Amino acid sequence: AVVSTQSTGGRRGSYDEWRDGALEITIKYREWARTIFIPESKTLLEMKRYCFYKVLDEGKRVHMVYQGHLLRPDTASLSEFTLDQPAIVICQISHHSQTTGLGPGTVPD
C-alpha cells in the first residue's frame, strides 16, 4: 500500500525540491518513502501536516522517530532536533485512543 502524497497545487510552501538552506529529510512509513527539503525554522507539526495531512484530517496521530528517539513536542522547530544531513525519519500512524478525557491523576467527580 502506498500512502498518497500531498498535492500542493503550485502554492507556496512546496518542499519537494531542493532549496538552499533547507534540511533534507527522508520520511519513511512502511514501504513508502519521500524526501523533502524543509526550512529548519518550520515546526514538527508543519512537517507532519505537509507529509500526512489526510491522515491527520482523519483524526489519526503521526509519530516521528529519529535515531530511536520520538520527536516531540509538535511545536518545536526542526532546528531544535539536531538532525544529521541528510536525515531519515521513521513514522508510525495510530488512532487516537478512546479515553474519558481525564488526564493522569485526575479523579472524576
Side-chain angles (χ1 to χ4, degrees), residues 38 40-48 74-78:
I38 187 166
E40 65 180 1
S41 61
K42 295 296 180 184
T43 66
L44 180 60
L45 182 58
E46 287 173 304
M47 183 168 72
K48 288 179 180 182
D74 280 349
T75 55
S77 69
L78 297 175

Side-chain angles (χ1 to χ4, degrees), residues 40-90:
E40 65 180 1
S41 61
K42 295 296 180 184
T43 66
L44 180 60
L45 182 58
E46 287 173 304
M47 183 168 72
K48 288 179 180 182
R49 283 184 180 150
Y50 184 74
C51 295
F52 296 102
Y53 75 99
K54 287 183 182 178
V55 171
L56 293 169
D57 283 351
E58 292 170 0
K60 297 178 183 172
R61 291 184 180 167
V62 175
H63 307 279
M64 294 189 160
V65 177
Y66 175 70
Q67 294 185 346
H69 299 281
L70 180 64
L71 298 179
R72 60 183 174 183
D74 280 349
T75 55
S77 69
L78 297 175
S79 64
E80 295 178 47
F81 296 116
T82 317
L83 303 171
D84 290 339
Q85 287 298 285
I88 296 174
V89 173
I90 308 299

Side-chain angles (χ1 to χ4, degrees), residues 8-52:
T8 58
R11 66 187 180 143
R12 288 179 50 189
S14 174
Y15 306 126
D16 294 319
E17 307 220 353
W18 183 86
R19 60 185 61 176
D20 194 32
L23 296 173
E24 179 179 345
I25 302 173
T26 298
I27 308 292
K28 291 188 174 187
Y29 174 70
R30 296 185 180 176
E31 310 85 35
W32 175 87
R34 176 183 188 183
T35 299
I36 61 171
F37 304 90
I38 187 166
E40 65 180 1
S41 61
K42 295 296 180 184
T43 66
L44 180 60
L45 182 58
E46 287 173 304
M47 183 168 72
K48 288 179 180 182
R49 283 184 180 150
Y50 184 74
C51 295
F52 296 102

Side-chain angles (χ1 to χ4, degrees), residues 91-108:
C91 298
Q92 178 183 1
I93 296 172
S94 64
H95 296 276
H96 281 287
S97 60
Q98 297 296 325
T99 64
T100 61
L102 301 175
T106 305
V107 178

